[in-house]
Amino acid sequence: MQDPTGPDRTGHAGCRLLEDARPLLATAQALCRRVQRAAHEAVLARLEEQEREIAAQAEATRGRIAELTAQLEEFDQAAEEVRITRKTLLALPDPSPPTPPAAKPPDHPAYRQIMAVFAAADAPLRARAVCEAMDLEIAPSNVNNVRLKLKRLVERGILIEPEQGLFTQPRP
């Protein structure tokens, strides 16, 4: 047997070891390529998985954008309707305040007499003066009854009380 470290056919020492190592080197290189290919395939698989996830997220986002676009169109339509309504209301003439129905005194002879006294009067009157104009006895009960009737006429807007106890018809 020949010394493996000894000279080979060419006479160089150690070349024999190199020749014996070549198959091992080829095997190691092939193994390295397989490991690289496997790692490469794993990276590619992970990239494909990420691509699918991103595509799914993009599709979900497109769906949400479509929903938001529809909602935005609804808001725009509602805003346009409000703008048109506002413009229409501004174009309408100012409504005149409703005229209240003409106040009517109660249908009682005493009230008709009181109103006749105020129709003939040219100044505000007190309850006592109304009693005198109606030819009633100037008694506290009569003055109080007339004063109550005058207050009722003020509540209904038929008479006004410019100061406490003084009554008159409103002037137009």
Side-chain angles (χ1 to χ4, degrees), residues 59-82:
E59 190 58 35
T61 302
R62 280 187 198 90
R64 183 70 178 132
I65 288 171
E67 290 173 12
L68 290 172
T69 300
Q71 191 175 18
L72 183 59
E73 288 173 2
E74 290 174 11
F75 287 145
D76 286 343
Q77 179 64 33
E80 179 66 14
E81 290 171 0
V82 168

Side-chain angles (χ1 to χ4, degrees), residues 72-158:
L72 183 59
E73 288 173 2
E74 290 174 11
F75 287 145
D76 286 343
Q77 179 64 33
E80 179 66 14
E81 290 171 0
V82 168
R83 188 189 65 76
I84 290 169
T85 302
R86 183 177 184 277
K87 184 177 177 182
T88 302
L89 287 175
L90 289 173
L92 293 175
D94 287 338
S96 58
T99 54
K104 246 177 114 175
D107 190 28
H108 189 272
Y111 287 100
R112 283 194 291 270
Q113 284 181 316
I114 291 171
M115 292 310 297
V117 168
F118 278 100
D122 54 356
L125 302 172
R126 298 202 175 273
R128 181 180 180 101
V130 174
C131 284
E132 290 173 356
M134 292 173 58
D135 292 328
L136 292 176
E137 178 185 344
I138 307 301
S141 62
N142 287 340
V143 173
N144 286 335
N145 285 336
V146 167
R147 183 177 296 111
L148 286 173
K149 287 177 177 54
L150 293 172
K151 293 280 187 182
R152 281 191 201 117
L153 292 171
V154 168
E155 287 173 6
R156 292 183 178 203
I158 297 169

